[in-house]
Amino acid sequence: MPEARNCLISDYMNSYFAGGASESRVSTMAYQSAGWNGVSLAVGPFCQTNLLL
């Protein structure tokens, strides 16, 4: 079963990285167009999704 555990850890780390990268990109674009209010509105759904998971 160590192979299955390694696959789960790898999937977790990949999704963690992809989520961080996409959130960074979205927040940068939101800041450029609408400032901090835009960042708050754009990143809010990411935070809510993370709380549900």
Side-chain angles (χ1 to χ4, degrees), residues 14-34:
N14 285 332
S15 65
Y16 191 88
F17 173 78
S22 63
E23 188 171 342
S24 177
R25 177 72 175 152
V26 168
S27 63
T28 300
M29 291 171 33
Y31 183 77
Q32 288 177 345
S33 63

Side-chain angles (χ1 to χ4, degrees), residues 6-20:
N6 290 339
C7 287
L8 287 174
I9 292 172
S10 177
D11 289 344
Y12 170 75
M13 292 304 296
N14 285 332
S15 65
Y16 191 88
F17 173 78

Side-chain angles (χ1 to χ4, degrees), residues 28-52:
T28 300
M29 291 171 33
Y31 183 77
Q32 288 177 345
S33 63
W36 286 112
N37 290 332
V39 172
S40 298
L41 292 172
V43 177
F46 284 104
C47 295
Q48 290 175 350
T49 301
N50 289 334
L51 287 174
L52 293 174

